[in-house]
Amino acid sequence: MSALQYLGDGFLLAMQWHNLVYAFVGVLIGTAVGVLPGIGPMSGVALLMPVTASLTAGLPPEEAAASAIILLAGVYYGAMYGGSTTSILLNTPGESSSVVTTLDGYQMARQGRAGAALSISAIGSFVAGIVALIALVFLADPLSDLALKFGPAEYFSLMILGLCAVSGLGGKSMTKALIMTVFGLLLATIGIDNVSGVARFTYDIPDLYQGLEFLTIAVGLFALGEVFKTILETDASSQEIIKVGRVLPTAQDLKQSAAPIARGSLLGFFVGVLPGAGATLASFFAYILEKKLSKDPSRFGKGAIEGVASPESANNAASGGAMVPLLTMGIPGSGTTAILMGALLMYNVQPGPLLFTDHPQVAWGLIASMFIGNVMLLVLNMPLVKVYAKIIETPTEYLIPLIIAISVFGVYAVQISTFDLVLLVVCGVAGYFLSKNDFPLAPLVLGLVLGPMIENNMRRALTTSNGDFMIFVTKPISAVFLVCALLWLLIPILLKKRGKQVVVSEEA
């Protein structure tokens, strides 16, 4: 009951007119940040930190901290929604957690269902945001205890499970999917090793010391790959402009999306709670889960609405889940929450076990503002669905330069490096040839995301066990994850050997 009383006090703070303005400005900027590829929530929040300091200059310290964090958190979950827009309309992921949305969202747009995809994305994001916040209110303490029990061995095994499950994201061949996963892991090793300080696969090129920028690879493979495909394979004279058709989802769309939205919301929240897992991993896992549960997995990658509903719900729920370790343990669960933690420390507010007792105004004001912000996002974005959907009606000769411009601007804005632009073009050419030869792109992207996390957790686990690999088997949770990973690979192979027709993965 005390949690609800505190939440009521939080709503009183969040409903003050200036905080409502901050929440609205936050979600508005966040949506724009999500739409522009390359900027992403991390850069958006970092860029606005100095602005909040000047905006809240005249307020008392506690109120200033609450107002600043309300605005910055609005940018965070606004960006999680905004990233879906260009993923669906232009096959260009706005930020990394929207990569999975391109797989089915763009296919829906090409089929004239762009409006339905955008609407379901908005509804799923809203439901997931509310589910995550209700869970945050009631489950913060017990979930924090569970997350603390996850050591490096458990994290390593969880990532391995994710990589084995990635065969579900593969093309027509599990072998090709695994090849792409390994290729992604190899690309992830490029750069200076964090532990030893040794440069790996950099060939004395200074731009490679930081490693390959994830978003450059993702935008190159998906967006520029699609551009090359359109230029080289489409007959412009016979091409018809795609019509958007119905904007709101049908009753059938809502029926098909209801369960995926619920599953994606819950899965995303629990993945978000684990420090370091984040929204990108949550959206991949949600997509894999829906594909495995589907009666007809071959629909995925060809415009299945579940392939939009579940990942979009998961990445929004994960942003709520990431607040649990930040607020209750002082451990940022992602890069963006690390910046939010920096913002709190700037106002002399220490996140952690004492936050809810020492600074209840800040903690509960933030949680209440996230409820209000989610409603604002829905109200703001549902009327704009028709505006967004009109983009797809743009003739190809105008649309291709627009996609190239958004991709180049977004990628260049991250590190202001011409090397990234060269890498973008290389990835675009590679994306075209790989997809033409049925090599799936999603496993490569996931391998690139998980690679550094797998390596770091394996090293930490082996350090604690003095180099004994048995630590991964002797820890019960870790052993369960590894067994699941092994079964994920073996069961389809065994069923195929027995002559059963198994759709391991059939993505267009």
Side-chain angles (χ1 to χ4, degrees):
M1 191 62 193
S2 59
L4 290 173
Q5 286 172 342
Y6 278 125
L7 187 61
D9 294 339
F11 270 107
L12 290 175
L13 177 75
M15 294 294 280
Q16 290 176 8
W17 73 267
H18 62 278
N19 285 334
L20 285 173
V21 171
Y22 286 144
F24 181 76
V25 169
V27 296
L28 191 66
I29 293 172
T31 306
V33 160
V35 166
L36 289 169
I39 296 180
M42 206 185 304
S43 308
V45 172
L47 287 168
L48 282 172
M49 258 176 70
V51 178
T52 58
S54 53
L55 282 175
T56 59
L59 295 171
E62 195 86 349
E63 278 189 43
S67 298
I69 204 73
I70 282 169
L71 191 150
L72 295 174
V75 176
Y76 179 26
Y77 52 85
M80 289 298 168
Y81 169 77
S84 65
T85 305
T86 46
S87 291
I88 291 166
L89 298 178
L90 306 176
N91 203 35
T92 310
E95 27 88 34
S96 56
S97 61
S98 298
V99 167
V100 191
T101 311
T102 59
L103 303 176
D104 282 279
Y106 183 62
Q107 295 302 322
M108 284 183 71
R110 290 179 65 185
Q111 293 161 18
R113 297 164 66 206
L118 287 164
S119 299
I120 284 295
S121 176
I123 293 164
S125 296
F126 172 72
V127 171
I130 298 301
V131 167
L133 287 166
I134 292 169
L136 176 59
V137 171
F138 292 106
L139 300 176
D141 287 339
L143 283 173
S144 304
D145 295 339
L146 180 68
L148 281 170
K149 288 178 185 170
F150 267 55
E154 286 82 1
Y155 276 118
F156 170 80
S157 302
L158 176 65
M159 307 301 170
I160 293 296
L161 172 59
L163 284 183
C164 291
V166 91
S167 59
L169 282 174
K172 296 185 177 85
S173 157
M174 187 191 274
T175 310
K176 285 183 176 178
L178 291 171
I179 288 170
M180 294 299 280
T181 307
V182 171
F183 188 46
L185 289 171
L186 289 173
L187 290 179
T189 61
I190 294 171
I192 290 184
D193 177 25
N194 288 332
V195 178
S196 63
V198 173
R200 301 186 298 189
F201 308 111
T202 54
Y203 306 105
D204 295 329
I205 301 169
D207 294 289
L208 288 176
Y209 290 158
Q210 286 185 321
L212 299 177
E213 178 60 42
F214 168 77
L215 213 94
T216 306
I217 305 264
V219 170
L221 290 174
F222 287 93
L224 277 200
E226 189 62 34
V227 165
F228 287 129
K229 184 180 177 184
T230 307
I231 292 169
L232 297 171
E233 294 183 7
T234 309
D235 183 5
S237 58
S238 65
Q239 191 188 4
E240 290 181 31
I241 297 169
I242 300 167
K243 294 292 176 192
V244 172
R246 184 189 173 95
V247 170
L248 291 174
T250 62
Q252 179 65 16
D253 286 338
L254 290 168
K255 187 181 171 186
Q256 284 180 313
S257 304
I261 285 172
R263 285 191 288 264
S265 301
L266 292 170
L267 177 70
F269 178 75
F270 287 109
V271 172
V273 167
L274 300 172
T280 307
L281 195 57
S283 59
F284 270 103
F285 276 170
Y287 188 87
I288 292 164
L289 179 68
E290 287 311 312
K291 194 163 180 182
K292 287 292 174 187
L293 292 175
S294 175
K295 290 176 182 172
D296 182 14
S298 62
R299 290 171 51 247
F300 283 75
K302 297 173 184 173
I305 199 158
E306 301 97 310
V308 174
S310 190
E312 277 304 307
S313 303
N315 71 33
N316 267 60
S319 63
M323 290 291 180
V324 174
L326 173 70
L327 298 178
T328 58
M329 295 185 287
I331 299 171
S334 65
T336 314
T337 48
I339 295 168
L340 287 176
M341 183 173 171
L344 285 170
L345 293 171
M346 193 168 77
Y347 289 95
N348 293 319
V349 174
Q350 175 66 55
L354 298 176
L355 176 68
F356 286 83
T357 50
D358 291 354
H359 306 281
Q361 251 195 316
V362 177
W364 291 104
L366 168 63
I367 292 169
S369 78
M370 289 174 79
F371 276 102
I372 296 162
N374 267 287
V375 175
M376 285 178 174
L377 265 179
L378 191 69
V379 171
L380 186 69
N381 286 299
M382 284 300 279
L384 293 176
V385 162
K386 202 154 195 170
V387 178
Y388 293 145
K390 284 284 175 192
I391 296 170
I392 204 73
E393 293 188 17
T394 312
T396 310
E397 58 266 30
Y398 302 120
L399 195 59
I400 284 177
L402 179 68
I403 295 172
I404 294 171
I406 290 173
S407 302
V408 169
F409 170 75
V411 164
Y412 190 69
V414 180
Q415 296 191 123
I416 323 220
S417 160
T418 48
F419 175 82
D420 279 356
L421 298 180
V422 175
L423 182 62
L424 180 74
V425 175
V426 171
C427 288
V429 174
Y432 167 68
F433 283 109
L434 287 169
S435 57
K436 190 177 178 181
N437 292 291
D438 278 331
F439 281 90
L441 302 176
L444 184 151
V445 172
L446 189 61
L448 191 64
V449 173
L450 291 183
M453 292 151 73
I454 287 174
E455 186 179 9
N456 289 341
N457 283 299
M458 185 178 82
R459 280 178 158 180
R460 284 170 56 211
L462 291 174
T463 303
T464 57
S465 69
N466 290 323
D468 184 5
F469 279 90
M470 287 304 289
I471 188 171
F472 300 111
V473 183
T474 51
K475 299 256 184 183
I477 300 173
S478 172
V480 168
F481 285 148
L482 288 176
V483 169
C484 290
L486 194 62
L487 290 174
W488 207 298
L489 291 177
L490 289 178
I491 288 172
I493 295 167
L494 292 172
L495 287 174
K496 269 192 174 179
K497 283 202 167 180
R498 290 176 61 185
K500 302 238 175 154
Q501 273 297 100
V502 183
V503 181
V504 174
S505 45
E506 263 191 33
E507 191 176 295

